[in-house]
Amino acid sequence: MKKISNFRFNSIAFGAILLIAAFNACQFASLAQPMPREDPGKPLTQSGGPRFVQPREDIDMQFKPPVTPRSTRGGCALDSNPNPIYLIPLVPPNNFARTVSDYPTFFFNWPPIRAKLAEFSLLDPNDKEIYKQTLEISNLSGTVEVSIPANKNVPPLEVGKNYRWSLTVICDNPQDRSGDLFQMGTVRRVELSPDIRSQLEKADPRQKSFIYAENGIWQDAISTLAAARRAQPDDPTLKADWESLLDSVKLSKIAKDPIVQTEVSEPQP
């Protein structure tokens, strides 16, 4: 009887140790990984407009750690703005997005700042720089659009491969880069299924943004909707759609900011 009691005690103790170990492992995992959405298939707050649904595999996979937005006062801050300044990419929370375009368009947001120049760079899967451009951003604020030019000097994105982009806002001067704003992320070009392609062929620009968003193709959802808004800037439905789309990736705070385009400062080599 004593041996049986000892066996039961040892079994209970061993089970408790396993439970504690499992609990600690879960705690460690939650600290080491970005917090996923509770249910990526459901809307967050708004309804009626396009809602982005990030594919589960994109949420779980981390090719490059997402960059924590860097704030600065430095040379970028206006005297009238006492708050930190952030450079915000318009992408899903983990800075990873899909596109079906061989030359996609990217969007970034910042408040009024003193900076005159920004640098955009795109690296291929081997971390080779395939595109770099200096942008004139004097007096620009809000949501800024950066397009990759479709020309023979820039190779198109290949299907199934990941490309890393970065944007640096030069806050002080080209010789002192300590106060720069910086963000980076990953974009992957994917191929449309025959079913989605058929839906897009029958859709107008507004409907296309819904189709792209619902199928996890972020870059084309936002660029299609931005183009529709440029064509009809006073359309309240498109404005509401834009706010809904940004809200679905937790960017509702900047959804009402204007969309502006940059000017190329230096020619593409």
Side-chain angles (χ1 to χ4, degrees):
M1 180 65 70
K2 186 174 181 180
K3 289 183 178 179
I4 294 175
S5 298
N6 287 339
F7 174 78
R8 288 178 178 174
F9 176 78
N10 291 336
S11 297
I12 293 172
F14 181 73
I17 292 171
L18 288 178
L19 286 174
I20 292 171
F23 177 74
N24 288 337
C26 290
Q27 281 189 316
F28 177 80
S30 66
L31 291 174
Q33 300 176 3
M35 183 68 68
R37 302 180 188 182
E38 293 181 1
D39 186 348
K42 292 183 179 180
L44 297 180
T45 58
Q46 296 185 9
S47 60
R51 308 294 298 176
F52 176 70
V53 181
Q54 189 169 33
R56 169 56 61 182
E57 62 194 271
D58 293 357
I59 297 174
D60 295 339
M61 296 176 68
Q62 290 292 317
F63 300 96
K64 297 284 185 180
V67 176
T68 301
R70 182 195 297 175
S71 67
T72 183
R73 286 291 303 158
C76 265
L78 298 175
D79 294 337
S80 58
N81 181 15
N83 301 314
I85 295 172
Y86 292 96
L87 169 60
I88 303 173
L90 274 63
V91 291
N94 64 349
N95 285 24
F96 180 84
R98 296 186 179 202
T99 185
V100 296
S101 175
D102 46 1
Y103 296 99
T105 298
F106 299 85
F107 296 84
F108 304 89
N109 182 280
W110 59 78
I113 53 178
R114 288 179 176 171
K116 297 179 181 180
L117 299 174
E119 292 177 347
F120 179 86
S121 179
L122 186 67
L123 306 181
D124 70 10
N126 297 316
D127 283 339
K128 177 185 177 182
E129 187 175 87
I130 58 173
Y131 177 68
K132 184 176 183 179
Q133 196 55 265
T134 300
L135 307 166
E136 291 276 5
I137 61 169
S138 297
N139 302 316
L140 287 185
S141 64
T143 294
V144 177
E145 182 175 340
V146 180
S147 297
I148 305 296
N151 63 49
K152 63 181 181 180
N153 294 321
V154 184
L157 271 62
E158 297 183 39
V159 173
K161 295 187 177 181
N162 300 316
Y163 295 78
R164 187 155 51 93
W165 57 259
S166 66
L167 183 74
T168 304
V169 174
I170 305 173
C171 288
D172 295 310
N173 59 64
Q175 286 72 44
D176 180 9
R177 309 297 295 273
S178 60
D180 287 358
L181 296 173
F182 175 79
Q183 272 284 3
M184 64 180 289
T186 303
V187 62
R188 171 193 278 178
R189 186 180 173 192
V190 297
E191 193 167 14
L192 288 170
S193 69
D195 178 57
I196 297 175
R197 192 182 298 277
S198 177
Q199 294 178 45
L200 290 168
E201 289 174 352
K202 304 171 186 176
D204 61 27
R206 179 173 184 254
Q207 293 169 338
K208 287 180 180 179
S209 68
F210 280 76
I211 296 169
Y212 283 129
E214 291 166 359
N215 288 280
I217 306 172
W218 171 259
Q219 295 295 150
D220 300 85
I222 190 172
S223 59
T224 300
L225 190 51
R229 289 197 66 194
R230 283 197 304 274
Q232 303 179 66
D234 299 322
D235 189 320
T237 301
L238 293 176
K239 179 176 179 293
D241 285 351
W242 180 263
E243 294 178 5
S244 176
L245 182 62
L246 293 196
D247 177 76
S248 69
V249 292
K250 303 178 182 179
L251 292 175
S252 58
K253 290 183 179 180
I254 61 172
K256 296 183 183 298
D257 290 354
I259 304 173
V260 296
Q261 290 180 295
T262 61
E263 293 184 4
V264 173
S265 174
E266 297 176 359
Q268 169 64 33

